Amino acid sequence: RCWKFRTMVVDGDAVLERHLQENPADAAIWKEQRKLVNDPRVTPLGAVLRKLSLDELPQLLNVLKGEMSLVGPRPVVQAELDHYGPSARHYLAARPGLTGLWQISGRSDTTYAERVRLDRFYVTNWSLWRDLRIIFLTIPAVAVASIMLELPLALGIDVLTVQLSGLQQPSRMVGLWAGGRARPLSRGEA
Protein backbone atom coordinates (compact mmCIF):
# COMPACT_ATOMS: atom_id res chain seq x y z
CA ARG A 1 0.00 0.00 0.00
CA CYS A 2 1.47 3.30 -1.12
CA TRP A 3 0.35 6.43 0.71
CA LYS A 4 -0.46 9.62 -1.22
CA PHE A 5 -2.67 12.65 -0.85
CA ARG A 6 -5.82 12.29 -2.94
CA THR A 7 -5.41 14.34 -6.12
CA MET A 8 -8.14 12.73 -8.19
CA VAL A 9 -11.89 12.78 -8.21
CA VAL A 10 -13.83 9.93 -6.63
CA ASP A 11 -14.57 7.16 -9.16
CA GLY A 12 -11.57 8.21 -11.25
CA ASP A 13 -11.41 4.98 -13.23
CA ALA A 14 -14.95 5.49 -14.57
CA VAL A 15 -14.19 9.16 -15.34
CA LEU A 16 -11.06 8.13 -17.27
CA GLU A 17 -12.86 5.35 -19.15
CA ARG A 18 -15.64 7.72 -20.22
CA HIS A 19 -13.11 10.39 -21.25
CA LEU A 20 -11.10 7.92 -23.35
CA GLN A 21 -14.25 6.67 -25.09
CA GLU A 22 -15.23 10.25 -25.96
CA ASN A 23 -11.69 11.33 -26.96
CA PRO A 24 -9.95 8.82 -29.25
CA ALA A 25 -6.81 10.97 -29.51
CA ASP A 26 -6.40 10.90 -25.72
CA ALA A 27 -7.11 7.14 -25.76
CA ALA A 28 -4.15 6.65 -28.11
CA ILE A 29 -1.91 8.79 -25.89
CA TRP A 30 -3.07 6.89 -22.79
CA LYS A 31 -2.36 3.55 -24.46
CA GLU A 32 1.21 4.59 -25.30
CA GLN A 33 2.17 6.77 -22.33
CA ARG A 34 -0.24 5.84 -19.51
CA LYS A 35 -0.46 9.59 -18.84
CA LEU A 36 -2.55 12.52 -20.08
CA VAL A 37 -1.55 16.18 -20.12
CA ASN A 38 -5.04 17.21 -19.03
CA ASP A 39 -6.14 14.19 -17.05
CA PRO A 40 -9.87 14.63 -16.31
CA ARG A 41 -9.50 12.75 -13.01
CA VAL A 42 -7.12 15.28 -11.44
CA THR A 43 -8.71 18.01 -9.31
CA PRO A 44 -7.44 21.62 -9.56
CA LEU A 45 -5.81 21.39 -6.13
CA GLY A 46 -4.50 17.95 -7.06
CA ALA A 47 -2.77 19.42 -10.12
CA VAL A 48 -0.85 21.85 -7.90
CA LEU A 49 0.03 19.12 -5.38
CA ARG A 50 1.28 16.91 -8.20
CA LYS A 51 3.27 19.70 -9.85
CA LEU A 52 5.11 20.30 -6.58
CA SER A 53 5.35 16.55 -5.83
CA LEU A 54 3.61 17.23 -2.52
CA ASP A 55 1.10 14.45 -3.18
CA GLU A 56 3.91 11.99 -2.54
CA LEU A 57 5.00 13.30 0.88
CA PRO A 58 2.95 10.66 2.73
CA GLN A 59 5.16 8.06 1.05
CA LEU A 60 7.80 9.01 3.62
CA LEU A 61 5.73 6.79 5.94
CA ASN A 62 6.25 3.92 3.49
CA VAL A 63 10.00 4.64 3.51
CA LEU A 64 10.12 4.68 7.32
CA LYS A 65 8.22 1.36 7.43
CA GLY A 66 10.72 -0.19 4.98
CA GLU A 67 8.09 -0.69 2.26
CA MET A 68 9.74 1.84 -0.06
CA SER A 69 13.18 3.33 -0.59
CA LEU A 70 14.09 7.00 -0.97
CA VAL A 71 15.33 6.20 -4.50
CA GLY A 72 14.05 3.52 -6.83
CA PRO A 73 11.57 2.90 -9.62
CA ARG A 74 8.28 4.76 -9.11
CA PRO A 75 5.49 2.63 -7.63
CA VAL A 76 3.11 1.21 -10.20
CA VAL A 77 -0.22 -0.59 -10.04
CA GLN A 78 -0.61 -4.07 -11.55
CA ALA A 79 -2.21 -2.69 -14.73
CA GLU A 80 0.94 -0.62 -15.32
CA LEU A 81 3.28 -3.48 -14.49
CA ASP A 82 1.69 -5.43 -17.34
CA HIS A 83 3.16 -2.78 -19.70
CA TYR A 84 6.69 -3.52 -18.42
CA GLY A 85 6.79 -6.81 -20.35
CA PRO A 86 10.11 -8.63 -19.82
CA SER A 87 11.41 -5.63 -17.84
CA ALA A 88 8.90 -6.37 -15.05
CA ARG A 89 11.44 -8.69 -13.44
CA HIS A 90 13.86 -5.76 -13.13
CA TYR A 91 11.16 -3.56 -11.62
CA LEU A 92 10.14 -6.26 -9.12
CA ALA A 93 13.79 -6.75 -8.06
CA ALA A 94 13.88 -3.35 -6.33
CA ARG A 95 11.82 -1.50 -3.76
CA PRO A 96 9.80 1.33 -5.26
CA GLY A 97 11.24 4.75 -4.50
CA LEU A 98 10.01 8.18 -3.47
CA THR A 99 12.15 9.58 -6.28
CA GLY A 100 14.04 7.98 -9.10
CA LEU A 101 15.78 8.27 -12.41
CA TRP A 102 12.49 8.89 -14.23
CA GLN A 103 11.68 11.95 -12.09
CA ILE A 104 14.91 13.69 -13.03
CA SER A 105 15.05 12.48 -16.64
CA GLY A 106 12.02 14.09 -18.17
CA ARG A 107 9.18 12.76 -16.02
CA SER A 108 5.94 13.62 -17.78
CA ASP A 109 7.79 14.53 -20.97
CA THR A 110 8.90 10.93 -21.51
CA THR A 111 7.05 8.02 -23.05
CA TYR A 112 6.01 5.07 -20.95
CA ALA A 113 8.56 2.94 -22.83
CA GLU A 114 11.26 5.39 -21.71
CA ARG A 115 10.04 5.15 -18.13
CA VAL A 116 10.32 1.35 -18.28
CA ARG A 117 13.80 1.65 -19.81
CA LEU A 118 14.90 4.10 -17.10
CA ASP A 119 13.58 1.79 -14.36
CA ARG A 120 15.41 -1.17 -15.91
CA PHE A 121 18.60 0.88 -16.25
CA TYR A 122 18.37 2.02 -12.61
CA VAL A 123 17.93 -1.51 -11.26
CA THR A 124 20.65 -3.09 -13.38
CA ASN A 125 23.14 -0.27 -12.73
CA TRP A 126 22.37 0.55 -9.10
CA SER A 127 24.99 2.29 -6.99
CA LEU A 128 24.95 4.36 -3.82
CA TRP A 129 26.64 7.20 -5.73
CA ARG A 130 23.85 7.18 -8.35
CA ASP A 131 21.21 7.28 -5.59
CA LEU A 132 22.91 10.29 -4.01
CA ARG A 133 23.03 12.04 -7.39
CA ILE A 134 19.33 11.32 -7.98
CA ILE A 135 18.42 12.72 -4.56
CA PHE A 136 20.60 15.77 -5.21
CA LEU A 137 18.97 16.39 -8.62
CA THR A 138 15.44 15.83 -7.27
CA ILE A 139 15.74 18.85 -4.99
CA PRO A 140 16.15 21.43 -7.79
CA ALA A 141 13.44 19.70 -9.86
CA VAL A 142 10.94 20.23 -7.03
CA ALA A 143 12.29 23.74 -6.31
CA VAL A 144 11.85 24.76 -9.96
CA ALA A 145 8.27 23.52 -9.84
CA SER A 146 7.74 25.62 -6.72
CA ILE A 147 9.17 28.71 -8.41
CA MET A 148 6.98 28.05 -11.45
CA LEU A 149 3.99 28.03 -9.09
CA GLU A 150 4.98 31.17 -7.13
CA LEU A 151 5.76 33.30 -10.19
CA PRO A 152 2.21 33.25 -11.59
CA LEU A 153 0.85 33.96 -8.10
CA ALA A 154 3.15 36.97 -7.80
CA LEU A 155 1.88 38.18 -11.17
CA GLY A 156 -1.73 37.72 -10.08
CA ILE A 157 -2.38 34.74 -12.35
CA ASP A 158 -4.81 32.10 -11.07
CA VAL A 159 -2.62 28.99 -11.10
CA LEU A 160 -5.55 26.65 -10.78
CA THR A 161 -6.63 27.60 -14.29
CA VAL A 162 -3.17 27.75 -15.84
CA GLN A 163 -1.28 24.63 -16.82
CA LEU A 164 2.21 24.95 -15.39
CA SER A 165 5.32 23.70 -17.10
CA GLY A 166 8.35 22.93 -14.97
CA LEU A 167 11.94 22.57 -16.03
CA GLN A 168 12.55 19.00 -17.07
CA GLN A 169 15.90 17.27 -17.25
CA PRO A 170 16.34 15.59 -20.68
CA SER A 171 16.75 11.83 -20.69
CA ARG A 172 20.18 12.18 -22.32
CA MET A 173 21.49 12.75 -18.78
CA VAL A 174 21.36 8.99 -18.25
CA GLY A 175 24.87 8.90 -19.71
CA LEU A 176 26.10 10.95 -16.74
CA TRP A 177 24.68 8.48 -14.21
CA ALA A 178 26.34 5.55 -15.86
CA GLY A 179 29.80 7.10 -15.85
CA GLY A 180 29.86 6.96 -19.62
CA ARG A 181 28.87 3.29 -19.80
CA ALA A 182 25.40 4.04 -21.18
CA ARG A 183 24.57 5.83 -24.35
CA PRO A 184 21.95 8.58 -24.36
CA LEU A 185 18.36 7.48 -24.68
CA SER A 186 16.16 8.86 -27.40
CA ARG A 187 12.39 9.11 -27.59
CA GLY A 188 10.67 6.09 -29.04
CA GLU A 189 13.70 3.85 -28.54
CA ALA A 190 12.59 0.42 -27.26
Side-chain angles (χ1 to χ4, degrees):
R1 181 176 194 141
C2 186
W3 293 98
K4 287 182 83 167
F5 288 125
R6 178 178 285 279
T7 59
M8 293 188 180
V9 297
V10 176
D11 204 19
D13 290 337
V15 169
L16 177 63
E17 186 177 329
R18 188 170 47 255
H19 177 78
L20 296 178
Q21 287 174 353
E22 296 169 359
N23 300 279
D26 280 354
I29 292 168
W30 178 258
K31 184 177 180 183
E32 180 187 333
Q33 298 180 9
R34 304 290 299 169
K35 199 164 201 76
L36 295 174
V37 173
N38 294 310
D39 192 323
R41 302 170 298 169
V42 178
T43 65
L45 178 59
V48 173
L49 290 174
R50 285 173 167 224
K51 189 65 184 172
L52 298 175
S53 298
L54 294 175
D55 60 320
E56 297 168 0
L57 277 181
Q59 291 175 1
L60 285 172
L61 295 172
N62 294 104
V63 172
L64 292 174
K65 290 170 61 178
E67 300 165 341
M68 287 180 68
S69 175
L70 282 177
V71 181
R74 287 299 300 141
V76 297
V77 295
Q78 183 61 47
E80 287 182 272
L81 191 57
D82 294 342
H83 292 276
Y84 272 64
S87 293
R89 68 184 179 91
H90 297 288
Y91 175 84
L92 294 170
R95 279 198 177 119
L98 188 59
T99 188
L101 194 52
W102 175 70
Q103 284 83 342
I104 62 166
S105 299
R107 201 168 158 167
S108 299
D109 292 336
T110 62
T111 65
Y112 205 82
E114 268 185 282
R115 176 181 176 174
V116 171
R117 200 169 30 261
L118 288 167
D119 283 348
R120 184 180 61 228
F121 177 86
Y122 171 80
V123 172
T124 59
N125 295 282
W126 180 88
S127 74
L128 180 59
W129 177 245
R130 184 168 293 112
D131 275 5
L132 293 173
R133 292 183 81 166
I134 290 170
I135 290 169
F136 178 75
L137 290 171
T138 298
I139 295 166
V142 173
V144 166
S146 177
I147 290 168
M148 293 302 291
L149 180 63
E150 291 173 16
L151 182 60
L153 287 174
L155 297 173
I157 299 171
D158 179 5
V159 268
L160 297 180
T161 60
V162 175
Q163 182 179 345
L164 300 175
S165 61
L167 179 63
Q168 301 296 328
Q169 304 270 344
S171 60
R172 69 180 187 284
M173 293 194 66
V174 170
L176 297 175
W177 297 186
R181 290 178 300 189
R183 63 185 177 78
L185 299 175
S186 63
R187 287 189 187 270
E189 184 177 77

